[in-house]
Amino acid sequence: MKQINKFWNWFQDNEEAIANAINLGINTKEVFHHLKKNYSYISKRIGFLIISPSENREKYTIIFTAEGYRKLFPKIIALEDLAPKLKLFIPQAFIKPIQNRTPYQEGTDKPYIFNKYKIKISQLYMSLVDYNITTKQLKINLFIPAYDYIKEFDEIESDLNYIVMDVIGEIAFRKHIKNIEFLELPENTNGLLSLIELPEYIDYLYKINSRQKTRIV
């Protein structure tokens, strides 16, 4: 926990510079170099995301994630618990699932902007390849517009995994997703499921297979 406290001391002293680097582009490369360096002392396997203020929040949200890797959960939780009161940032442990699905169902959601491209969740579809009744894990195909064009980009699979994680939450992603194959979105999407419905689909599979179990007396 000593390294976590050191990180927060550094972050609190530099949070205005971090916000200016994000919002105004001031010394962005240098600021993020030091941010990543100080963060890496905690663990090289824990990542972080910074989300811009929303309509309901005036502060940035810094999200700590281990992509569902359970051995790192204590450090993720400690990062939130040991955080000091910050003026410009809200600390959050884990990527949490989307709560309000209406914009995604209506197609009015904002796109995710990555290095060379942008994608909306409402544009993404999926199909089930396999569901393991014992482990409750799925193998799915994820269909992406213009995937044949963007599939050569660096970190494309990591970006797309993050989007799925954002839909169902980091913990559920680790628990339920065994494998994802990324494919070009076909013109005809009949028979495919919108990605935003994945949490309900997991619940549906779980309930259906639970009903099929028979009790042995």
Side-chain angles (χ1 to χ4, degrees):
M1 301 305 170
K2 184 179 179 181
Q3 292 299 336
I4 292 177
N5 286 322
K6 282 186 176 181
F7 168 76
W8 279 126
N9 288 336
W10 178 88
F11 192 97
Q12 193 170 31
D13 290 340
N14 292 274
E15 65 169 318
E16 187 172 345
I18 297 168
N20 287 338
I22 299 167
N23 191 39
L24 303 175
I26 300 175
N27 296 327
T28 302
K29 188 174 181 179
E30 180 182 353
V31 168
F32 271 84
H33 168 75
H34 289 292
L35 173 57
K36 291 176 181 178
K37 181 179 179 181
N38 281 274
Y39 190 69
S40 69
Y41 295 145
I42 300 170
S43 171
K44 295 185 183 299
R45 295 196 61 176
I46 298 177
F48 69 88
L49 307 163
I50 295 178
I51 308 298
S52 297
S54 64
E55 295 177 359
N56 301 322
R57 289 185 171 184
E58 296 180 355
K59 297 182 178 182
Y60 291 90
T61 302
I62 180 166
I63 303 172
F64 308 108
T65 172
E67 297 186 0
Y69 188 59
R70 289 187 176 276
K71 288 185 178 180
L72 294 174
F73 281 10
K75 286 187 177 180
I76 296 289
I77 294 168
L79 274 161
E80 181 178 299
D81 289 345
L82 297 176
K85 187 174 182 179
L86 301 171
K87 295 179 181 178
L88 304 172
F89 291 84
I90 299 169
Q92 176 182 309
F94 306 115
I95 297 170
K96 293 180 169 56
I98 291 170
Q99 298 298 315
N100 181 14
R101 299 181 196 173
T102 302
Y104 305 91
Q105 293 166 334
E106 295 177 347
T108 58
D109 54 312
K110 294 181 180 179
Y112 289 76
I113 301 174
F114 296 108
N115 193 21
K116 296 181 180 179
Y117 63 98
K118 57 185 179 180
I119 294 179
K120 294 172 67 173
I121 286 178
S122 59
Q123 298 174 316
L124 304 179
Y125 289 81
M126 57 155 286
S127 66
L128 179 66
V129 176
D130 182 61
Y131 176 65
N132 188 307
I133 297 174
T134 303
T135 63
K136 306 295 187 295
Q137 289 192 316
L138 295 79
K139 294 181 180 179
I140 64 173
N141 288 336
L142 185 64
F143 298 93
I144 304 104
Y147 181 67
D148 287 343
Y149 170 71
I150 66 175
K151 65 183 179 182
E152 302 301 329
F153 291 167
D154 292 339
E155 300 184 353
I156 179 67
E157 291 191 6
S158 177
D159 294 341
L160 293 171
N161 277 328
Y162 165 72
I163 291 177
V164 178
M165 205 178 301
D166 213 20
V167 171
I168 65 174
E170 177 176 347
I171 294 174
F173 181 89
R174 183 73 178 188
K175 181 179 180 181
H176 293 297
I177 303 300
K178 178 69 174 179
N179 184 67
I180 304 175
E181 183 175 355
F182 305 110
L183 300 166
E184 175 79 16
L185 180 69
E187 291 185 13
N188 187 351
T189 58
N190 289 339
L192 300 180
L193 184 73
S194 177
L195 179 62
I196 196 62
E197 305 301 331
L198 180 55
E200 293 178 358
Y201 189 58
I202 291 173
D203 289 342
Y204 167 78
L205 289 172
Y206 185 84
K207 289 174 183 177
I208 287 294
N209 286 283
S210 294
R211 292 193 196 113
Q212 290 175 352
K213 291 180 180 179
T214 58
R215 180 179 297 177
I216 300 175
V217 180

